[in-house]
């Protein structure tokens, strides 16, 4: 497996250090990129490790015992993450999502949550602070996360059938423990909870209707289930278009059981198309990253575990912010550098791919999802 690992490792260390502009650029909260898109949403990967091996993200054959995860010293500390987050907030970020890898595997995560919960936007508002987790240790951690100031969680769950779920996480993890985690999060008020289901044609499409029924009935429509098209992210998940079940098909399957009505987006740049059960059973979301491009309003930046900034989920290179932090750059220097990087952003991978034949976009050097976070 060594040959597969080396390019990923090389890529991780290949991000250039952003230049500090000669003329300082102050934070105004109004920064926009080359396509006029603001910076609103920061996703922070707190670990590249995970206890699952979902085939669409960290296939066992690649992420095996020889795989070299990042050494502890190269991870950003909680203080470094919080410092960067504060500077991003100055540029307009209003929402922070902790992700990974599996974020709940990072030791002491509650103390990072507490530090981030103390940040305020230039208007004095708290951030929308959330976390995406596979739910495996959520039952144990929900109360402490809530107490630290986390507002809500998104839990990934690809099916209710235990055999299907065990085979998709590929480590035999039982579905009952994830469901316990969701119950615990609900009990302590980490809501509104979202549940993300990646749909792979031929693998878990039979779970779509049971999942919808479960979350409608058990939580009185208060949990939003979102169906995600299997994406060609990274370079190792063996993505094939014929394993994508288009969201339009998911919607048609659901409509055979319940009438659904479209809802308007709540905020610009929202990833999911929202639908409501006409009988008041709550709402669902469809994330059609393959069949429907949504780059026009994309306001998301991603910070990798060792401090590289990625401007697109499908980026092939990052911007090394850790070198700025550890090289003694001042807040004003980093603020200026961030402004210059974002101002040059013209990424719109999904839109460009949509204009090409399926599979033509190539995947050789793309960054992996577990590394920059979903
Ligand atoms: N480990 C956490 C989890 O699974 O929720 C957080 C990190 S995970 C990379 C974030 C999200 O990305 C999850 O909801 C996961 O299902 C999704 N994801 C990973 N690989 C994907 C792929 N190839 N296509 C679509 N979604 C994917
Ligand atoms: Fe781990 Fe999440 Fe990736 Fe699954 S999707 S392998 S749980 S990081
Ligand atoms: Fe944003 Fe890149 Fe996804 Fe387009 S492809 S929506 S620019 S992350």
């Amino acid at each position: 497996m060594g040959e597969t690992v080396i390019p990923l490792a090389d890529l991780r260390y290949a991000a250039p250090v952003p230049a500090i502009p000669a003329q300082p650029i102050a934070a105004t909260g109004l920064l926009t990129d080359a396509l006029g898109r603001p910076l609103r949403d920061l996703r922070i990967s707190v670990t590249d490790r995970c206890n699952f091996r979902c085939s669409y993200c960290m296939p066992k054959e690649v992420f095996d015992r020889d795989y070299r995860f990042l050494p502890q010293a190269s991870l950003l500390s909680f203080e470094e993450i919080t410092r960067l987050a504060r500077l991003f907030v100055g540029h307009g970020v209003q929402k922070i999502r902790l992700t990974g890898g599996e974020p709940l595997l990072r030791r002491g995560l509650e103390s990072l949550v507490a530090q981030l919960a103390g940040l305020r936007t230039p208007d004095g508002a708290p951030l929308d602070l959330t976390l995406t987790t596979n739910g495996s240790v959520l039952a144990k951690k929900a109360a402490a996360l809530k107490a630290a100031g986390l507002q809500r969680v998104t839990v990934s769950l690809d099916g209710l059938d235990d055999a299907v779920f065990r085979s998709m996480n590929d480590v035999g993890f039982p579905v009952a423990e994830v469901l316990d985690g969701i119950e615990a999060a609900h009990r302590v008020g980490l809501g509104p909870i979202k549940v993300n289901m990646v749909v792979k044609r031929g693998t878990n499409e039979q779970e779509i209707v049971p999942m919808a029924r479960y979350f409608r009935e058990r939580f009185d429509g208060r949990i939003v289930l979102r169906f995600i098209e299997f994406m060609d992210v990274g370079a190792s998940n063996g993505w094939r278009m014929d394993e994508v079940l288009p969201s339009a098909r998911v919607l048609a399957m659901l409509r055979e059981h319940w009438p659904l009505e479209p809802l308007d987006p709540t905020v610009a740049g929202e990833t999911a198309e929202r639908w409501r059960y006409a009988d008041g059973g709550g709402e669902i979301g469809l994330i059609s990253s393959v069949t429907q491009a949504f780059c026009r309003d994309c306001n998301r930046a991603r910070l990798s575990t060792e401090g590289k900034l990625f401007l697109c989920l499908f980026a092939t290179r990052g911007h090394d912010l850790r070198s700025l932090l550890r090289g003694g750059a001042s807040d004003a220097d980093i603020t200026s550098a961030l402004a210059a990087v974002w101002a040059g952003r013209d990424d719109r991978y999904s839109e460009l791919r949509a204009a090409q034949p399926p599979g033509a976009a190539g995947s050789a050097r793309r960054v992996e999802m577990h590394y920059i976070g979903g």
Side-chain angles (χ1 to χ4, degrees):
M1 289 296 121
E3 309 82 359
T4 323
V5 171
I6 289 163
L8 297 176
D10 287 347
L11 172 65
R12 293 197 301 210
Y13 295 99
V17 182
I20 299 171
Q23 290 296 324
I25 311 174
T28 58
L30 301 171
L31 185 62
T32 51
D33 72 7
L35 302 176
R37 298 170 296 187
L39 171 55
R40 293 278 178 266
D41 181 334
L42 178 63
R43 301 182 176 201
I44 303 175
S45 173
V46 293
T47 177
D48 60 338
R49 291 164 199 259
C50 188
N51 54 343
F52 284 12
R53 286 293 177 273
C54 309
S55 63
Y56 51 72
C57 177
M58 294 179 74
K60 240 181 191 165
E61 309 72 54
V62 177
F63 299 92
D64 59 8
R65 83 161 62 96
D66 295 331
Y67 183 79
R68 284 177 295 143
F69 288 98
L70 294 167
Q72 186 68 25
S74 62
L75 271 48
L76 290 190
S77 69
F78 291 164
E79 288 66 30
E80 288 172 324
I81 292 174
T82 306
R83 180 176 174 211
L84 280 180
R86 179 167 50 78
L87 302 179
F88 273 99
V89 169
H91 277 312
V93 163
Q94 297 169 349
K95 172 173 166 185
I96 291 187
R97 174 177 298 281
L98 299 178
T99 178
E102 174 45 43
L104 297 185
L105 296 187
R106 178 88 184 249
R107 200 167 311 136
L109 190 74
E110 302 79 358
S111 85
L112 174 63
V113 168
Q115 289 179 43
L116 295 174
L119 297 178
R120 293 291 176 269
T121 67
D123 300 337
L127 303 178
D128 178 6
L129 184 57
T130 179
L131 172 148
T132 303
T133 173
N134 63 24
S136 56
V137 293
L138 188 56
K140 271 189 244 134
K141 302 216 165 197
L145 290 166
K146 175 72 184 173
L150 189 70
Q151 282 158 5
R152 56 195 182 87
V153 288
T154 296
V155 183
S156 303
L157 178 64
D158 297 332
L160 288 175
D161 180 90
D162 195 49
V164 170
F165 183 67
R166 282 175 191 261
S167 114
M168 285 188 79
N169 64 54
D170 214 10
V171 293
F173 196 88
V175 73
E177 291 188 36
V178 177
L179 295 176
D180 285 351
I182 295 173
E183 299 279 345
H186 185 61
R187 223 172 19 248
V188 303
L190 279 173
I193 298 175
K194 291 176 183 160
V195 171
N196 278 354
M197 171 178 178
V198 175
V199 181
K200 276 185 87 173
R201 192 202 292 261
T203 303
N204 65 339
E205 70 217 72
Q206 71 285 5
E207 294 296 305
I208 292 170
V209 170
M211 285 277 284
R213 183 172 291 117
Y214 181 85
F215 287 105
R216 267 172 58 88
E217 291 174 4
R218 183 151 183 102
F219 297 95
D220 301 326
R222 272 179 290 177
I223 288 189
V224 179
L225 175 59
R226 306 186 321 161
F227 301 93
I228 306 181
E229 288 175 349
F230 170 39
M231 276 188 288
D232 52 336
V233 68
S236 54
N237 70 6
W239 183 86
R240 297 200 331 245
M241 187 65 199
D242 60 9
E243 285 186 306
V244 177
L245 188 74
S247 293
R249 292 278 305 279
V250 174
L251 186 63
M253 287 168 77
L254 295 172
R255 282 184 142 165
E256 284 174 21
H257 297 264
W258 305 280
L260 283 154
E261 300 165 344
L263 284 169
D264 289 333
T266 34
V267 285
E270 202 160 59
T271 42
E273 186 185 298
R274 300 165 61 225
W275 292 76
R276 165 175 67 200
Y277 293 107
D279 65 0
E283 69 176 75
I284 58 131
L286 298 170
I287 301 182
S288 316
S289 7
V290 178
T291 60
Q292 237 180 336
F294 53 82
C295 303
R296 198 172 357 107
D297 294 323
C298 180
N299 52 21
R300 293 179 286 284
R302 293 177 161 84
L303 184 63
S304 80
T305 313
E306 17 84 289
K308 300 202 168 116
L309 172 64
F310 289 88
L311 303 179
C312 175
L313 186 52
F314 299 91
T316 51
R317 61 167 215 159
H319 303 266
D320 179 6
L321 302 184
R322 191 187 64 190
S323 291
L324 291 182
L325 287 172
R326 296 190 182 171
S330 67
D331 283 359
D333 289 343
I334 299 176
T335 294
S336 296
L338 289 180
V341 167
W342 189 261
R345 174 183 187 248
D346 62 358
D347 302 64
R348 52 189 191 100
Y349 173 84
S350 287
E351 277 178 15
L352 297 176
R353 178 204 34 213
Q356 295 183 351
S363 64
R365 292 184 58 247
R366 264 187 246 138
V367 72
E368 297 289 320
M369 185 91 154
H370 76 285
Y371 167 68
I372 53 169

